[in-house]
Amino acid sequence: MSKDDFHGPVDHGRRLGLGFAAAAAGGLFAPALGLAASAQTDAGGLKVLRYSLVKAETGFDPAKISDLYSRIVTSHIFESLYTYDHLARPPVIKPLTADGMPEASADFQVFTVKVRPGIFFADDPVFKGKQRELVAEDFVYAFKRFADPANKAPTWSDLEELNIVGLNELRDETIASRKPFDYDRMLQGIRALDRHTLRIELKEPRPRLIESLADAGLRGAVAREVVEAYGDQIMAHPVGTGPFRLAAWRRSSLMTLVRNPAYRERYYDAQPAVDDAEGQALLARFKGRRLPMVDRVEVAVIEEPQPRWLSFLNQEYDFIERVPEAYVNEAMPAGKVAANLARRGVQGYRSPAPDMVISVYNMEDPVVGGYTPEKIALRRAMNLAMDIRAEIDIVRRGQGYRAQSPIIPNTSGYDPKFKSEMGDHDPARANALLDLYGYVDRDGDGWREQPDGSPLRIWRASQTDQLSVALDERWQRDMKAIGLKVEIRPAQWPENLRAVQAGTLMMWSLGISASQYDGQGALGLYYGPQVGSGNYARFKLPAFDEIYRKMQVMPDGPEREALYLQAKRIAVAYAPYKIHLHRYITDMARPWIVGYRRPVFWNDWWQYVDVDDSQRKT
């Protein structure tokens, strides 16, 4: 899964450096380009796409990131073995750098993948003027980097769960010996049989392994000599085989990417469903065009909703990903592009997001954590007090619908008919629970105390942007209605992510988005071994872990669906999270941006859009 803030998605994939100053010190990046004009064919004949992200990136080393915003960029720089068909709905996986689909053993424990010859990394001074071909060993090295304790890979738990023969043991041995990670050790579980053949061997069946090999933002190949050359500056020096390369980076402000001159001949092709009119039209228009179709992409960071929206209206940017909730009804009232924008040729795209917004309770916190009846009652009461309908209608302007479980829409295990207490708003029941378990106002000050009479002090981490402030005010109002005194402690979003993974926050809210079809990724939020990475609540329950492990080895089918149901019931009963809602996403583009279609799970799309200057006359 990936993480994001309230404005953007977190990863079902599954899955947040160094700053521009460090890059500039290396002398490798040109100054970032200005933003005076919107996307266009510039004076040099180059097609430029300009837009903004709602939150800052953290860096561009796949082994050291997990946030959505960094992964959007790395997904265009690096390439995985497999990818998703850009137009196919439902999603279909196809080869990217692999030469065909993987050969799998009958028990789904051994996979052999051929790497396509003739693919080269982007030019970089490290290669000393020579072409550097992609080989199977680059994927072996990339996977090993996640296991290296020195990298503190936030998504290591995803690879750890695959149980690649020898990899987990090498990591454990490295930690115990306190010696550097041995990248040269041959591992039975992941090795290059020859220059272009990769073999992966697992201890247990993994019928859905290919989904883990289809995430370019995290599982893309990296060249060992590049990593070793740049050392602790690698977050600022991504070098991949993808369609774009990083040309300039002003941390938390602007990223400029340009077409990779070394990119192979790759042409637009896809397989939309026969009855998919939009997909078929896109295929008819672009089939056979060489990728990428744009020459430069400039990605700014504008966190506040009003400046983001105004910058699009003023044509400083030609595309706005995720129209801020505060302006959605102005942009697309009743789901249609507003008349004033339609007259200017603006295109609108509204789609359900494969994501969820959650509140995290630290299960190790002495106030809100714990597994005893009174602690569970406190969390359940707080969940019941949250008025998610008001959050959706008032704060988010209708851009979402209430969640009933931690399974994300458009993934396996999601059942729209499933209903639970997670979707209820019932302050009366919340008050009754608190009264029953001894959370009462003993001193008459209007606020409840803990069952032992000590003060009940609850705080939630947050951010200072407008949406977060509005959501915090709503939460404080809901908690006041059941007699709970709470406070907000704001910080920067990346800081909160690091803190929640370290277990130092009492509560926090964020979004989680899927990056693959397998819905089990979201259940990693509750899986004990993922404490410190994807299990933000630090929830540990052997019964849940056993269900999770059974699901990993089991093929899709009724038996696995039954385990999904058990997992959902445990998640609701213990309430280490409040699952708020699933969001709708609204994107908008100027008429000269053609070919856009929001990806379902994946993050790369720049190579599939074009700038049509003739549409400026619209």
Side-chain angles (χ1 to χ4, degrees):
M1 308 284 309
S2 38
K3 286 74 69 180
D4 67 83
D5 55 49
F6 274 121
H7 304 262
V10 165
D11 169 44
H12 206 115
R14 292 165 14 183
R15 326 304 167 216
L16 257 160
L18 296 173
F20 179 77
L28 296 179
F29 290 168
L33 300 172
L35 298 174
S38 60
Q40 60 185 350
T41 302
D42 69 8
L46 300 180
K47 295 180 178 181
V48 185
L49 166 67
R50 296 185 175 100
Y51 79 107
S52 64
L53 297 178
V54 334
K55 285 293 174 182
E57 76 296 338
T58 56
F60 310 113
D61 180 359
K64 297 179 181 179
I65 63 173
S66 65
D67 64 291
L68 174 67
Y69 312 103
S70 299
R71 291 176 58 229
I72 288 174
V73 177
T74 57
S75 291
H76 294 89
I77 296 173
F78 298 95
E79 290 184 309
S80 47
L81 288 161
Y82 297 94
T83 189
Y84 287 90
D85 187 302
H86 181 59
L87 298 182
R89 304 291 188 274
V92 173
I93 291 177
K94 65 180 185 180
L96 181 56
T97 60
D99 192 5
M101 300 300 280
E103 297 178 7
S105 61
D107 61 1
F108 296 107
Q109 289 186 235
V110 179
F111 298 81
T112 304
V113 180
K114 293 288 186 178
V115 177
R116 185 182 306 161
I119 295 176
F120 297 92
F121 283 90
D123 296 335
D124 190 86
V126 171
F127 301 138
K128 300 178 180 179
K130 298 180 180 179
Q131 279 191 315
R132 169 59 159 84
E133 187 181 21
L134 172 70
V135 295
E137 190 62 42
D138 295 320
F139 286 102
V140 175
Y141 178 70
F143 273 53
K144 285 181 176 178
R145 292 192 68 232
F146 287 89
D148 185 348
N151 289 327
K152 300 179 181 178
T155 62
W156 158 244
S157 59
D158 298 330
L159 279 186
E160 183 180 30
E161 286 180 22
L162 294 180
N163 264 330
I164 297 173
V165 174
L167 186 60
N168 297 0
E169 290 80 4
L170 178 56
R171 175 184 170 87
D172 292 341
E173 179 184 320
T174 302
I175 293 173
S177 67
R178 297 185 179 182
K179 294 180 180 179
F181 189 86
D182 186 1
Y183 283 97
D184 295 316
R185 182 183 300 186
M186 178 75 72
L187 297 180
Q188 180 180 341
I190 184 161
R191 53 198 169 103
L193 299 183
D194 58 40
R195 187 171 176 83
H196 293 107
T197 306
L198 176 68
R199 185 179 191 272
I200 300 174
E201 182 176 345
L202 313 173
K203 294 180 181 178
E204 301 174 310
R206 290 292 184 269
R208 293 158 293 278
L209 175 71
I210 191 171
E211 295 187 30
S212 297
L213 306 179
D215 185 344
L218 292 179
R219 304 291 179 249
V222 296
R224 180 172 180 174
E225 59 267 44
V226 170
V227 175
E228 292 180 346
Y230 290 116
D232 60 6
Q233 305 295 307
I234 191 60
M235 284 281 266
H237 293 278
V239 179
T241 64
F244 296 94
R245 62 181 180 85
L246 185 66
W249 181 27
R250 213 160 54 216
R251 185 184 173 94
S252 302
S253 176
L254 178 66
M255 293 147 277
T256 301
L257 294 94
V258 297
R259 176 197 296 269
N260 173 11
Y263 197 57
R264 63 191 177 279
E265 289 190 25
R266 184 179 167 211
Y267 299 92
Y268 194 109
D269 196 13
Q271 294 183 319
V274 174
D275 60 353
D276 179 358
E278 179 189 60
Q280 290 291 341
L282 289 171
L283 179 62
R285 178 167 186 171
F286 295 110
K287 184 175 175 63
R289 292 279 302 276
R290 187 167 179 177
L291 303 178
M293 292 185 279
V294 297
D295 300 293
R296 188 168 75 239
V297 182
E298 296 175 3
V299 186
V301 177
I302 305 178
E303 297 191 349
E304 289 296 341
Q306 186 181 50
R308 284 192 76 231
W309 177 237
L310 290 178
S311 68
F312 177 73
L313 291 181
N314 295 334
Q315 298 191 31
E316 295 173 28
Y317 302 100
D318 34 69
F319 176 80
I320 181 166
E321 192 219 20
R322 300 174 184 273
V323 174
E325 285 90 341
Y327 300 98
V328 163
N329 292 332
E330 175 184 332
M332 290 187 68
K336 295 183 179 180
V337 177
N340 64 312
L341 296 175
R343 284 193 295 270
R344 298 160 69 183
V346 171
Q347 309 156 83
Y349 311 86
R350 186 174 188 264
S351 55
D355 77 357
M356 59 185 174
V357 173
I358 66 174
S359 283
V360 181
Y361 298 97
N362 183 350
M363 293 295 285
E364 295 176 358
D365 184 85
V367 177
V368 299
Y371 301 82
T372 55
E374 76 279 4
K375 299 297 186 181
I376 295 173
L378 175 60
R379 294 191 298 272
R380 285 182 58 207
M382 293 176 69
N383 285 354
L384 286 166
M386 295 185 199
D387 189 349
I388 304 304
R389 183 74 268 163
E391 176 182 335
I392 294 170
D393 292 343
I394 298 173
V395 182
R396 298 184 181 276
R397 306 299 200 275
Q399 297 300 291
Y401 51 101
R402 282 179 289 185
Q404 303 289 337
S405 83
I407 304 301
I408 292 176
N410 297 317
T411 68
S412 62
Y414 179 76
D415 179 3
K417 297 179 182 179
F418 179 82
K419 304 297 179 186
S420 75
E421 181 180 279
M422 193 66 73
D424 293 345
H425 173 231
D426 194 337
R429 197 176 356 152
N431 277 311
L433 272 171
L434 294 172
D435 290 343
L436 179 63
Y437 285 92
Y439 292 95
V440 297
D441 178 12
R442 290 177 172 79
D443 58 12
D445 66 351
W447 304 108
R448 296 177 184 270
E449 281 79 47
Q450 297 195 60
D452 63 2
S454 60
L456 179 56
R457 298 182 177 131
I458 297 172
W459 63 274
R460 184 171 89 167
S462 187
Q463 297 77 233
T464 58
D465 59 274
Q466 292 177 16
L467 179 58
S468 294
V469 170
L471 291 166
D472 293 339
E473 291 173 352
R474 168 63 53 185
W475 178 70
Q476 289 175 304
R477 184 182 299 114
D478 291 341
M479 295 303 103
K480 182 179 180 181
I482 59 170
L484 297 184
K485 189 174 185 179
V486 298
E487 67 170 304
I488 301 296
R489 299 183 184 179
Q492 293 297 311
W493 194 85
E495 295 174 13
N496 284 332
L497 178 66
R498 288 189 290 270
V500 78
Q501 290 175 328
T504 59
L505 302 183
M506 180 183 287
M507 290 185 66
W508 187 40
S509 291
L510 73 159
I512 301 288
S513 61
S515 60
Q516 61 190 50
Y517 174 70
D518 183 19
Q520 186 172 353
L523 297 181
L525 289 166
Y526 302 82
Y527 185 47
Q530 286 202 23
V531 166
S533 55
N535 183 344
Y536 304 122
R538 311 180 81 80
F539 180 73
K540 299 174 185 176
L541 190 72
F544 185 93
D545 292 347
E546 180 62 22
I547 292 171
Y548 190 93
R549 284 189 288 267
K550 287 180 180 178
M551 293 179 66
Q552 287 180 309
V553 304
M554 191 178 294
D556 293 330
E559 189 176 355
R560 194 164 187 256
E561 288 297 319
L563 292 179
Y564 268 121
L565 182 58
Q566 292 182 39
K568 286 187 278 191
R569 287 172 173 167
I570 290 175
V572 173
Y574 282 87
Y577 301 89
K578 168 66 174 180
I579 314 298
H580 292 228
L581 55 100
H582 308 295
R583 290 176 289 193
Y584 293 112
I585 296 175
T586 299
D587 305 318
M588 304 194 87
R590 293 288 168 186
W592 49 86
I593 300 300
V594 291
Y596 176 72
R597 193 179 210 188
R598 168 165 282 279
V600 181
F601 303 125
W602 53 103
N603 294 311
D604 58 308
W605 57 270
W606 303 343
Q607 65 269 40
Y608 301 116
V609 299
D610 194 12
V611 175
D612 184 354
D613 225 27
S614 68
Q615 294 299 316
R616 289 181 174 278
K617 300 175 183 178
T618 301

